[in-house]
Amino acid sequence: MWGSGGTVGPMTIRAVLWDIDDTIFDYATADTAGMRGHLAAEGLLEGFGTVEAALDRWRELTVLHWRRFEREGGDFLDQRRDRVRDFLGRPELTPDEADGWFDRYVRHYEAAWSLFPDTVPVLDLLARDYRHAVLSNSSIHNQERKLRLLGIRDRFEAVLCAAELGVAKPAPEAFQAACTALGLPPHQVAYVGDQPDIDARGAVEAGLMGIWLDRAGTGGRPDLSRITDLHQLPALLGGPTRFGARSTFG
C-alpha cells in the first residue's frame, strides 16, 4: 500500500525489503532444534561427539556450499546434496538418498519454526505506510512455503530469491532486481537484514537505505544504520536518517 504521508520527497522511504532467516524468522533456534532431533533419530550423535560439534560442522558446510553456489552458480539442489554428502562423509550417496536424508531433517526443523516476537507487531505498525517485499539468499520453493506456513506470506507483494534471480546479496543486481519488482528507485527502498555486510552494506552500495538488525547487540559498525529490535524500525524509517548514515540506535 502506498504511504499516506503526503508528497514524496527524494529521500522518502516508500517500501521495506526484508531478509527472512534470523531477521523475521528465528532460523538459528529452529536449525539447532531440528538438527538435534534429526541426529538423534538417525543415530548419528555419537559420530560427532557432541550435538554442538555436529551443528558447527553442519553450519560450516552450509556456508561453504552456499558460497560456492553464489560464486559458480549451478543447481540449487546439487549444492544441498553435496552438503549432505560432506556432512555424512558419504560421497557415494545418490541424489535420492541425499534428498531423503535432508527431507527427514526438514521435518524436525519445521516442527521448531517460529517468528521472532517482534515480527508481526512491527509488520502491523508499518502496514499502512509502507509497501513490503522479501529478498532472500535462498530459493522461492523454500521461502514461499516458509512464509505461508508462518502465516505472513500475504504481507509481502513479492518474494525474490537468489536461486531464481541468478545473483545473490550483496551483489547490487540482487537489490536492484527487488526495487524493479516494486517499481521504485533504490533510494525509496529500505532493506532490513541480520548480516552487516551482506544485507546492510550491500543495500547501501546498491543505493538503498541499508539497516542492520543486530539482535545480539554486537555493535562495532558505526558506518551502518543499526537497530537491535524491530520495534526501533518505524522511527528510523520515518526519521531524518539518510541511507548509509549511522542511526541513533547504533
Side-chain angles (χ1 to χ4, degrees), residues 4-111:
S4 59
T7 303
V8 178
M11 297 304 300
T12 300
I13 298 300
R14 303 294 301 274
V16 181
L17 271 175
W18 296 86
D19 176 51
I20 296 178
D21 296 340
D22 286 326
T23 297
I24 59 177
F25 162 66
D26 192 353
Y27 171 81
T29 297
D31 188 42
T32 298
M35 184 55 69
R36 190 185 305 272
H38 181 51
L39 291 176
E42 298 281 312
L44 294 173
L45 285 177
E46 288 187 6
F48 289 93
T50 66
V51 172
E52 289 72 22
L55 288 166
D56 287 345
R57 179 59 175 160
W58 179 249
R59 290 166 182 160
E60 174 189 341
L61 290 170
T62 298
V63 172
L64 175 68
H65 286 285
W66 184 261
R67 293 290 180 264
R68 178 173 60 85
F69 176 71
E70 289 177 335
R71 184 175 62 251
E72 301 174 7
D75 187 272
F76 179 81
L77 290 177
D78 283 344
Q79 65 83 25
R80 195 176 72 185
R81 291 162 181 155
D82 287 342
R83 189 186 351 153
V84 171
R85 292 178 182 118
D86 284 356
F87 181 72
L88 297 175
R90 297 183 60 190
E92 78 282 1
L93 284 183
T94 67
D96 284 347
E97 289 170 333
D99 289 346
W101 189 93
F102 189 84
D103 288 345
R104 294 192 298 277
Y105 154 68
V106 166
R107 287 196 287 273
H108 292 278
Y109 165 58
E110 290 185 354

Side-chain angles (χ1 to χ4, degrees), residues 134-178:
V134 163
L135 174 62
S136 170
N137 275 2
S138 184
S139 72
I140 289 288
H141 172 76
N142 287 342
Q143 302 297 50
E144 283 269 7
R145 183 170 184 274
K146 183 183 294 175
L147 293 172
R148 286 198 306 272
L149 290 178
L150 291 169
I152 58 170
R153 173 61 185 90
D154 62 350
R155 304 292 190 119
F156 306 102
E157 292 183 28
V159 176
L160 294 92
C161 293
E164 290 73 30
L165 288 174
V167 63
K169 301 175 298 181
E173 293 83 359
F175 295 99
Q176 290 160 2

Side-chain angles (χ1 to χ4, degrees), residues 137-242:
N137 275 2
S138 184
S139 72
I140 289 288
H141 172 76
N142 287 342
Q143 302 297 50
E144 283 269 7
R145 183 170 184 274
K146 183 183 294 175
L147 293 172
R148 286 198 306 272
L149 290 178
L150 291 169
I152 58 170
R153 173 61 185 90
D154 62 350
R155 304 292 190 119
F156 306 102
E157 292 183 28
V159 176
L160 294 92
C161 293
E164 290 73 30
L165 288 174
V167 63
K169 301 175 298 181
E173 293 83 359
F175 295 99
Q176 290 160 2
C179 293
T180 297
L182 288 166
L184 292 173
H187 68 261
Q188 291 184 359
V189 181
Y191 190 85
V192 182
D194 68 296
Q195 296 294 318
D197 291 308
I198 292 173
D199 293 328
R201 175 51 53 189
V204 169
E205 292 179 353
L208 292 75
M209 178 183 186
I211 301 167
W212 175 26
L213 175 57
D214 178 18
R215 289 190 180 277
T218 305
R221 292 297 300 272
D223 57 312
L224 299 176
S225 291
R226 182 178 75 99
I227 57 176
T228 57
D229 185 290
L230 288 180
H231 289 292
Q232 298 166 345
L233 182 60
L236 181 59
L237 294 175
T241 305
R242 298 180 64 248

